[in-house]
Amino acid sequence: MLLLLHYLGTAMRRQFQSINILNNEKGFLFPYTVFIATLLLLATITTISLLEGNQKMTVYQLEQVELETLRQLSSTALEKEWINDNLELPFSSRNYQFPNGNATIFYRSHDEKNLHLSIKTITAKHAEKVWLVTIPLPLEIPNLDDSP
């Protein structure tokens, strides 16, 4: 019994010594504080840099959507011009201006089934892309008035 009390007393003293080490005035706690502060600073800087990268990526994705929109608008405008004005092949180029940018369509070639074009789109923020597009021929809109 006496041995058990001695062992428990020794264990309790060791436990209190480890607590006292954290509270002594020799500066044992300072390295831990600096380490934790450094980790928090590193996490904050990493989060800020990730946020900046995501913001840049969002801007680039929005520009890509604008370029794709311009390509679709210019293709539709050419198809309408083909149907309404009977555009003759080959044509040199067609320029289209839209509120969010400009598009220029260049004729490349055609065969019996397809029209091969090059579309250069430029957004208002001066992002630019050249698309190689194939449009099936003949470009006709089906007549919806003849439905049964």
Side-chain angles (χ1 to χ4, degrees), residues 5 13 15 17 21 36 63-64 73 111 122 131 138 143:
L5 288 175
R13 269 187 263 146
Q15 187 178 12
Q17 284 176 351
I21 288 174
I36 290 172
E63 283 297 312
Q64 182 66 29
L73 287 171
D111 53 25
I122 303 172
W131 308 81
N143 190 355

Side-chain angles (χ1 to χ4, degrees), residues 112-127:
E112 293 118 15
K113 296 182 180 181
N114 296 315
L115 175 63
H116 305 283
L117 305 170
S118 175
I119 302 175
K120 182 178 180 181
T121 54
I122 303 172
T123 64
K125 294 181 181 177
H126 304 291

Side-chain angles (χ1 to χ4, degrees), residues 18-46:
S18 64
I19 293 173
N20 286 337
I21 288 174
L22 294 175
N23 293 329
N24 71 7
E25 297 178 9
K26 294 181 183 177
F28 183 74
L29 190 59
F30 182 71
Y32 289 123
T33 307
V34 171
F35 181 71
I36 290 172
T38 304
L39 286 178
L40 289 174
L41 183 64
L42 183 64
T44 303
I45 290 172
T46 302

Side-chain angles (χ1 to χ4, degrees), residues 11-147:
M12 294 296 276
R13 269 187 263 146
R14 282 190 207 144
Q15 187 178 12
F16 285 128
Q17 284 176 351
S18 64
I19 293 173
N20 286 337
I21 288 174
L22 294 175
N23 293 329
N24 71 7
E25 297 178 9
K26 294 181 183 177
F28 183 74
L29 190 59
F30 182 71
Y32 289 123
T33 307
V34 171
F35 181 71
I36 290 172
T38 304
L39 286 178
L40 289 174
L41 183 64
L42 183 64
T44 303
I45 290 172
T46 302
T47 303
I48 290 171
S49 65
L50 285 172
L51 178 65
E52 288 175 348
N54 285 340
Q55 286 175 340
K56 286 181 183 178
M57 183 64 74
T58 301
V59 168
Y60 294 145
Q61 286 177 341
L62 289 174
E63 283 297 312
Q64 182 66 29
V65 169
E66 289 289 326
L67 290 167
E68 177 68 26
T69 302
L70 286 171
R71 184 194 64 81
Q72 291 175 1
L73 287 171
S74 61
S75 295
T76 304
L78 180 73
E79 288 177 13
K80 286 181 182 178
E81 187 176 346
W82 174 278
I83 292 168
N84 294 337
D85 299 337
N86 290 330
L87 185 66
E88 293 185 20
L89 297 178
F91 59 90
S92 58
S93 67
R94 293 284 187 248
N95 294 319
Y96 299 102
Q97 293 183 354
F98 302 104
N100 54 347
N102 300 326
T104 304
I105 298 179
F106 300 99
Y107 171 83
R108 291 189 311 140
S109 66
H110 75 280
D111 53 25
E112 293 118 15
K113 296 182 180 181
N114 296 315
L115 175 63
H116 305 283
L117 305 170
S118 175
I119 302 175
K120 182 178 180 181
T121 54
I122 303 172
T123 64
K125 294 181 181 177
H126 304 291
E128 183 176 322
K129 185 167 183 177
V130 176
W131 308 81
L132 300 177
V133 178
T134 300
I135 298 176
L137 289 177
L139 296 175
E140 295 179 353
I141 296 176
N143 190 355
L144 300 177
D145 294 334
D146 296 336
S147 53

